[in-house]
Amino acid sequence: LRKTNITLMWVLPLLLCSLTACSALNRERLVYDEQDTQIGIQHDPSTHSSPPTIVNSHPAQLSKEEIRILLGSVQVSGWSGTIGGFLRDPTPIPLLKEDELNRVAKPLAFALSQAGPEERVFFSVPNLAVPYNDDRTAGSLFVRGPYLHVILQDHTAFVRTDTGGGEDYKDPRETKGMHLWLTRPAQAASLSPAETPAWGPFEKVHISMKVQDVLAARASFPIAAQAPQPVLPAQGAPPVRPPQPAPAPQTQPMAKGSSGAPAPAESAEDLRLMLRELSAANLELRGRLKDQAQDMQSLKEELAKLKQELTDSKAKAKPRRKPTQPQQ
């Protein structure tokens, strides 16, 4: 009995500490809950699994307009079900529409200013076009050093794969083939291993951006004037690049070099860079189209082979009729 009491004296405090730690990890607090849109603050598990020196740069001071620019630069691609993703390449669409950005920009900026070093901000936005739909655009974000990290768990534009009913329809591993992008000229950040957060097992859809670089890029190229994304044409047609908007006229005089000749404007180099990137994307799309044509030809040959085998099997199975004997 004495040994049992001693054991309980050691085990009970450990259990209480574990329960306290778990409740701290799961603690969430809402800062905005209106019209079925929720924004709040939660514990960031990537700080828990990282060394103690790695924490988030919170409270973060980002304005409402800066949040609009940063999240307005993010696009998402995906598909509804596995069949749709197999038949065609997904086309990127804005992560948040204009009316959704108008709704969440201010509360997100406030939440980041209230979050602690080991916390992140989560958001859950319903489909405003279909208010009674259960699908939501949900994710989280946090600032760490010069980077803003965005995680996406779900999006209203893509329907989960129907597994035939049951609770597995809401499987957290179902990512709908989603992928996050940044609109040009903004670019996603390339993180070193030391800068990469310890993503959770279900946090496979994420993107990182350098805040000041994206803000500077968007200042030169507003979101409304961004170049349209190249799209895949119909089967058998050559890739077609959408028409590009005409560059705005230069208002600043060109600087002169040592010879007195005017130097080209800085935006000309940016335009050349965009043209090179679009050309590379066009070549990549041509390669994908060629691969798809080869796959389609292989499928046609396989189908013809199966049809021939089916015809041969039917011919073998058909009984031969005996010739009739002439009557005497």
Side-chain angles (χ1 to χ4, degrees):
L1 181 61
R2 184 176 180 181
K3 291 182 178 179
T4 303
N5 293 334
I6 294 176
T7 303
L8 290 176
M9 290 177 59
W10 283 100
V11 171
L12 287 177
L14 293 176
L15 290 175
L16 291 175
C17 292
S18 300
L19 292 174
T20 304
C22 291
S23 62
L25 292 178
N26 296 327
R27 184 173 65 248
E28 296 182 350
R29 60 184 189 275
L30 287 175
V31 299
Y32 181 86
D33 188 5
E34 295 183 11
Q35 300 177 344
D36 203 23
T37 300
Q38 296 180 344
I39 295 174
I41 301 172
Q42 61 184 191
H43 176 77
D44 186 355
S46 67
T47 60
H48 176 70
S49 57
S50 302
T53 55
I54 299 181
V55 293
N56 296 332
S57 303
H58 295 164
Q61 302 301 324
L62 291 174
S63 67
K64 169 185 174 182
E65 291 303 320
E66 289 174 334
I67 292 294
R68 283 178 53 85
I69 294 173
L70 294 171
L71 293 185
S73 303
V74 182
Q75 291 187 321
V76 59
S77 64
W79 53 69
S80 298
T82 55
I83 301 299
F86 176 76
L87 295 178
R88 62 178 182 178
D89 288 339
T91 302
I93 61 174
L95 173 66
L96 295 172
K97 300 178 183 177
E98 189 68 22
D99 52 349
E100 295 170 341
L101 277 175
N102 293 335
R103 176 178 293 190
V104 304
K106 184 175 181 179
L108 281 176
F110 176 76
L112 286 172
S113 68
Q114 300 298 311
E118 297 184 356
E119 295 176 322
R120 67 185 183 186
V121 175
F122 68 89
F123 58 89
S124 178
V125 184
N127 189 344
L128 301 182
V130 187
Y132 298 104
N133 196 327
D134 292 336
D135 289 328
R136 308 178 68 85
T137 298
S140 56
L141 53 91
F142 58 92
V143 178
R144 184 175 297 177
Y147 304 106
L148 172 67
H149 304 279
V150 180
I151 308 167
L152 186 64
Q153 278 95 26
D154 201 358
H155 198 278
T156 59
F158 314 115
V159 180
R160 287 184 177 89
T161 304
D162 190 356
T163 58
E167 297 180 356
D168 290 339
Y169 184 74
K170 297 291 185 180
D171 192 342
R173 296 170 296 180
E174 174 62 79
T175 61
K176 307 176 182 180
M178 293 188 299
H179 188 83
L180 294 179
W181 314 79
L182 284 185
T183 55
R184 298 294 181 183
Q187 296 183 358
S190 298
L191 303 178
S192 65
E195 296 172 325
T196 302
W199 304 113
F202 300 140
E203 297 175 344
K204 298 182 179 180
V205 186
H206 49 75
I207 195 169
S208 304
M209 67 188 83
K210 205 166 187 177
V211 174
Q212 295 304 321
D213 290 354
V214 175
L215 294 178
R218 279 284 157 243
S220 302
F221 292 84
I223 297 176
Q226 66 187 12
Q229 298 287 335
V231 296
L232 260 178
Q235 182 71 23
V240 179
R241 186 164 51 195
Q244 304 296 319
Q250 300 293 329
T251 57
Q252 296 180 354
M254 294 184 293
K256 292 186 177 181
S258 57
S259 61
E266 294 180 357
S267 60
E269 181 62 29
D270 295 332
L271 291 175
R272 283 194 292 269
L273 177 60
M274 292 178 63
L275 288 176
R276 287 197 297 268
E277 292 173 348
L278 288 175
S279 299
N282 199 13
L283 291 175
E284 182 181 356
L285 290 176
R286 286 178 181 271
R288 290 185 181 180
L289 185 60
K290 183 179 179 181
D291 294 339
Q292 289 181 355
Q294 293 176 353
D295 294 341
M296 186 63 67
Q297 184 63 30
S298 300
L299 290 174
K300 288 181 179 179
E301 294 175 357
E302 186 68 22
L303 182 60
K305 182 179 179 181
L306 291 175
K307 286 183 177 179
Q308 185 62 38
E309 292 177 355
L310 182 60
T311 302
D312 296 342
S313 62
K314 287 183 177 180
K316 293 179 180 179
K318 187 176 180 180
R320 296 182 179 180
R321 299 178 62 183
K322 295 182 179 180
T324 58
Q325 297 293 335
Q327 295 181 357
Q328 297 295 333

